[in-house]
Amino acid sequence: IMKECWHHDPDTRPTFAELSRRLGHIDPGISRVSVAKAQGRSLDEGAGVGSKVLDEVFPPHIAEALRQGKKIEPEHFDCVTIFFSDIVGFTDISGTLLPEEVCDMLDRLYVKLDMLADKYEMFKVETIGDAYMAVTNLLKEQHDHAARVAKFAQEAIVAANSTLVHKDKPELGSINLRVGFHSGPVVANVVGTKNPRYCLFGDTVNTASRMESNSEKNRIHVSDTAAKLVAKQDHTVELIAREKMNIKGKGIMQTYFVKQGEQVTSTIDPEKLRSMMATRQPSSRSLRMASRRASAISGSVVSHSPNMRPSIPSIKSTTSHLNPPSQPTVIDMDDFTES
């Protein structure tokens, strides 16, 4: 900031209003040095931890701007591909498992999806509950951005199907995903000052979300725009046309499924996955608390009604969904209800 104030060109120097905004949140009574000493670490170590967190949450150029206290300006992108997924039957799962068990399930799934996102160089925008959102062609130019998302989606479904709903109760089955994606223009910006978030805005986001909500279990639903890009960027990805349907807020649309063939397998390194999960195990205190809650709930079920805890037959995994029919799926719109 001092160097900016010394700039030889007066027009490039920050205004008093800008200086007030950038310095207003700093408490003059507390320095980074004193905080670091109180925590028994070096100043560089503390700065490194904070910097790493910023780099994980925001794109590199956004993280650097935030470190310098600069105002983030909206950025326009002509064409990105946005991926959405959610867990089939998540409401039933949440009503059956303890909160700690739901968190553990999501963590085990998201660690796998994050590893795949790194492989395909996708930027993970956010997760909200069971919804996972990621994007390509945002941080850098990717000429195959739609095809990347298609392949990522195929592997994501395989990874989810190999993830147990409850790691100690295999009878509950595995996770099933509903997936959709769309390509188009967006505007990206950081919103808010407390817990700021990097968000994407535009109709492309809405359409991608609609593709996901109108998808089916373990199927990848694609808009016509994204399907054309996939076909152009990678001819090995097979597409299956759906019956034209009325998409809420969009009207009648021609959409497609990406075929999930038997040849699709997960490329996640098992050793790396085990290593990552080993560092994320819950504390013994958390496990004891969860165990006590489970015992209390189990006792109340036995003493009152055997049907108090809802069953979740709909979440049990099968293998038939990995081989969808090669013919287009015809949907009777009178019977179709949006998920």
Side-chain angles (χ1 to χ4, degrees), residues 235-251:
H235 66 275
T236 64
V237 179
E238 296 184 59
L239 298 165
I240 304 171
R242 295 188 75 175
E243 187 82 0
K244 288 185 178 180
M245 58 169 52
N246 184 22
I247 303 296
K248 184 178 179 181
K250 306 301 299 180

Side-chain angles (χ1 to χ4, degrees), residues 38 58 68 90 100 122 137 141 180 204 232 238 251 256 303 319:
F58 299 100
Q68 297 178 12
F90 184 70
E100 293 88 349
M122 298 176 64
N137 209 34
E141 190 172 2
T204 300
K232 179 181 178 181
E238 296 184 59
Y256 299 80
S303 61
T319 56

Side-chain angles (χ1 to χ4, degrees), residues 23-31:
L23 298 175
H25 67 282
I26 298 177
D27 184 349
I30 303 177
S31 69

Side-chain angles (χ1 to χ4, degrees), residues 3 22 88 93 128 179 196 250 260 295 298:
K3 288 182 179 180
R22 294 170 66 178
V88 177
I93 295 173
I128 304 176
V179 175
K250 306 301 299 180
Q260 185 80 355
S295 298
S298 177

Side-chain angles (χ1 to χ4, degrees), residues 216 219-224 227 237-245 253-259 324-331:
E216 298 176 357
R219 305 296 295 273
I220 305 165
H221 192 206
V222 190
S223 67
D224 183 58
V237 179
E238 296 184 59
L239 298 165
I240 304 171
R242 295 188 75 175
E243 187 82 0
K244 288 185 178 180
M245 58 169 52
M253 291 185 67
Q254 173 65 64
T255 61
Y256 299 80
F257 280 129
V258 174
K259 186 176 180 180
S326 58
Q327 297 300 318
T329 303
V330 180
I331 297 177

Side-chain angles (χ1 to χ4, degrees), residues 90-277:
F90 184 70
T91 301
D92 290 336
I93 295 173
S94 299
T96 302
L97 302 182
L98 294 170
E100 293 88 349
E101 295 169 338
V102 174
C103 291
D104 177 69
M105 176 192 71
L106 292 176
D107 186 57
R108 287 183 285 111
L109 172 64
Y110 290 162
V111 165
K112 292 181 179 181
L113 297 191
D114 289 346
M115 293 175 71
L116 290 174
D118 286 341
K119 171 188 173 181
Y120 288 100
E121 298 183 284
M122 298 176 64
F123 178 71
K124 175 184 173 183
V125 181
E126 63 180 349
T127 57
I128 304 176
D130 66 318
Y132 189 99
M133 178 184 180
V135 61
T136 52
N137 209 34
L138 187 80
L139 301 189
K140 64 179 182 180
E141 190 172 2
Q142 296 170 312
H143 299 291
D144 60 343
H145 56 93
R148 281 174 184 260
V149 173
K151 292 180 177 179
F152 167 83
Q154 289 177 323
E155 285 203 49
I157 289 176
V158 173
N161 294 158
S162 68
T163 305
L164 293 174
V165 170
H166 193 297
K167 58 186 178 182
D168 296 325
K169 299 177 182 177
E171 66 273 11
L172 295 182
S174 301
I175 297 174
N176 296 301
L177 290 184
R178 181 169 39 239
V179 175
F181 67 86
H182 173 63
S183 303
V186 296
V187 169
N189 197 15
V190 175
V191 295
T193 55
K194 190 172 183 63
N195 296 328
R197 295 174 60 191
Y198 186 71
C199 300
L200 304 182
F201 301 92
D203 187 62
T204 300
V205 180
N206 300 330
T207 304
S209 178
R210 292 298 181 194
M211 291 300 100
E212 177 271 314
S213 61
N214 286 279
S215 186
E216 298 176 357
K217 184 174 79 171
N218 295 317
R219 305 296 295 273
I220 305 165
H221 192 206
V222 190
S223 67
D224 183 58
T225 302
K228 289 177 179 177
L229 287 174
V230 170
K232 179 181 178 181
Q233 295 169 6
D234 191 335
H235 66 275
T236 64
V237 179
E238 296 184 59
L239 298 165
I240 304 171
R242 295 188 75 175
E243 187 82 0
K244 288 185 178 180
M245 58 169 52
N246 184 22
I247 303 296
K248 184 178 179 181
K250 306 301 299 180
I252 303 299
M253 291 185 67
Q254 173 65 64
T255 61
Y256 299 80
F257 280 129
V258 174
K259 186 176 180 180
Q260 185 80 355
E262 291 182 351
Q263 73 279 7
V264 178
T265 58
S266 177
T267 57
I268 295 175
D269 184 348
E271 290 298 327
K272 185 177 180 181
L273 177 62
R274 276 193 291 270
S275 175
M276 292 185 66
M277 294 308 300

